[in-house]
Amino acid sequence: MGADEVLLDVDHIGIAVSALTTAVAEYRAALRVEPVHREVVQDQGVEEVFFRTGSSFIQLLGALGPDTPVGRFLARRGEGLHHVAYRVRSIEEALDRLRAAGVPLIDEAPRSGSRGTRIAFVHPKGLHGVLIELVQAP
Ligand code: CO
């Protein structure tokens, strides 16, 4: 890994689902994956379930209500890929780099994510239509 590299690895793929418990059961049965973590993140209006796949995770996202980011996403687009999350050494360094490159940010500063991580979201319009989350391990 080069010293100049911003992204270390894929942390997780976030998938918006309309019924979390049902989706978890279907993922377990179809893909033979076991949930390793479940957490409600109140300030994001989501409940998250993680399945480990190698060094990364699948993250199923259930909305806590219709007037939340994932609730609005489901109403507008339906279930499916919501975001791709990359591990970074330093969120501040990654945000500085993106800002310098002219990429629009959703979060100008890091905030708390699930699993004790620090996270920041990058606007999809700056990266060809994909919502990107930066994740710094605790
Ligand atoms: Co995420």
Side-chain angles (χ1 to χ4, degrees):
M1 154 193 359
D4 212 35
E5 223 163 30
V6 175
L7 309 179
L8 302 178
D9 201 355
V10 173
D11 185 77
H12 62 268
I13 307 293
I15 298 165
V17 303
S18 50
L20 189 57
T21 300
T22 306
V24 168
E26 289 171 356
Y27 265 66
R28 288 181 68 187
L31 299 175
R32 300 208 168 262
V33 286
E34 287 300 320
V36 292
H37 185 74
R38 184 168 191 141
E39 184 171 341
V40 171
V41 185
Q42 282 293 349
D43 73 317
Q44 289 175 47
V46 291
E47 183 166 9
E48 307 179 348
V49 173
F50 287 82
F51 303 89
R52 182 183 285 284
T53 54
S55 62
S56 304
F57 298 89
I58 302 166
Q59 177 196 58
L60 298 186
L61 297 163
L64 296 182
D67 195 25
T68 60
V70 172
R72 287 187 290 271
F73 177 92
L74 286 166
R76 202 170 60 241
R77 315 248 309 250
E79 293 186 305
L81 178 64
H82 183 265
H83 65 275
V84 177
Y86 294 101
R87 279 178 211 129
V88 296
R89 239 185 315 265
S90 156
I91 295 250
E92 284 85 356
E93 180 190 295
L95 289 174
D96 285 348
R97 186 73 65 89
L98 289 160
R99 212 178 274 117
V103 175
L105 306 175
I106 292 174
D107 296 313
E108 290 292 336
R111 53 184 163 122
S112 308
S114 59
R115 301 171 296 158
T117 59
R118 298 167 72 232
I119 64 163
F121 282 95
V122 181
H123 202 286
K125 75 184 175 195
L127 292 168
H128 298 261
V130 179
L131 175 62
I132 297 297
E133 178 185 359
L134 308 170
V135 179
Q136 187 179 333

